[in-house]
Amino acid sequence: NVWMALYNEATVAKAEGLIVPVAVEEQEVVNQPQSFQLYQNYPNPFNPTTKIKFKLNKPSRINLSIYNIQGELVDVVFQGYSEQGLHTVEWNARNLSGTNVPSGIYFYRITTDTKSMTRKMMLIR
């Protein structure tokens, strides 16, 4: 059996009755995103605009697009390179032509080189 405990600012490992002190190094904790996230838009339902937040754990090329209930592309909110961290974009409920879209359920999807996530939102005019 092996177990470790914190004792007087040192870590102690006990293995088969032997107690062996192990040096502890202080490490700086860096507050960096540890995962890829797509958050629920706010407000939801919305009119006339909504904010979409996403978090990247590393710099990536991304595509954030809006689709209607039939799965047809409605708008591309952001396409390009984005740095690591938390980001917010706003969608104005317009399609690729700049025309207001009707009330209904829409899906927003973010895609990176390795992952993709989708969430649902509702527009009420």
Side-chain angles (χ1 to χ4, degrees):
N1 294 338
V2 175
W3 59 272
M4 299 188 78
L6 185 61
Y7 178 76
N8 290 338
E9 300 178 0
T11 301
V12 177
K14 181 178 180 183
E16 298 179 14
L18 299 174
I19 297 178
V20 181
V22 178
V24 176
E25 294 180 20
E26 290 187 26
Q27 294 181 358
E28 181 180 339
V29 176
V30 179
N31 189 11
Q32 294 180 352
Q34 298 301 313
S35 64
F36 168 74
Q37 284 285 350
L38 178 61
Y39 298 97
Q40 187 62 52
N41 65 303
Y42 180 82
N44 188 35
F46 70 97
N47 180 17
T49 64
T50 189
K51 293 181 192 278
I52 300 170
K53 285 186 180 183
F54 60 93
K55 180 173 69 172
L56 300 174
N57 60 340
K58 62 182 179 180
S60 301
R61 288 197 55 78
I62 66 163
N63 181 308
L64 179 60
S65 297
I66 311 294
Y67 298 88
N68 62 21
I69 197 81
Q70 289 84 25
E72 301 165 329
L73 178 65
V74 173
D75 195 11
V76 176
V77 180
F78 181 84
Q79 187 173 30
Y81 183 82
S82 189
E83 293 292 331
Q84 171 182 330
L86 184 64
H87 304 274
T88 304
V89 294
E90 187 172 273
W91 184 48
N92 60 5
R94 295 180 185 267
N95 63 19
L96 291 166
S97 303
T99 306
N100 286 335
V101 297
S103 294
I105 295 174
Y106 293 87
F107 297 92
Y108 55 104
R109 179 179 187 101
I110 189 167
T111 305
T112 69
D113 293 334
T114 59
K115 293 185 180 181
S116 129
M117 295 180 81
T118 303
R119 290 198 176 262
K120 179 171 61 170
M121 63 183 161
M122 184 182 302
L123 169 63
I124 298 177
R125 293 229 181 245

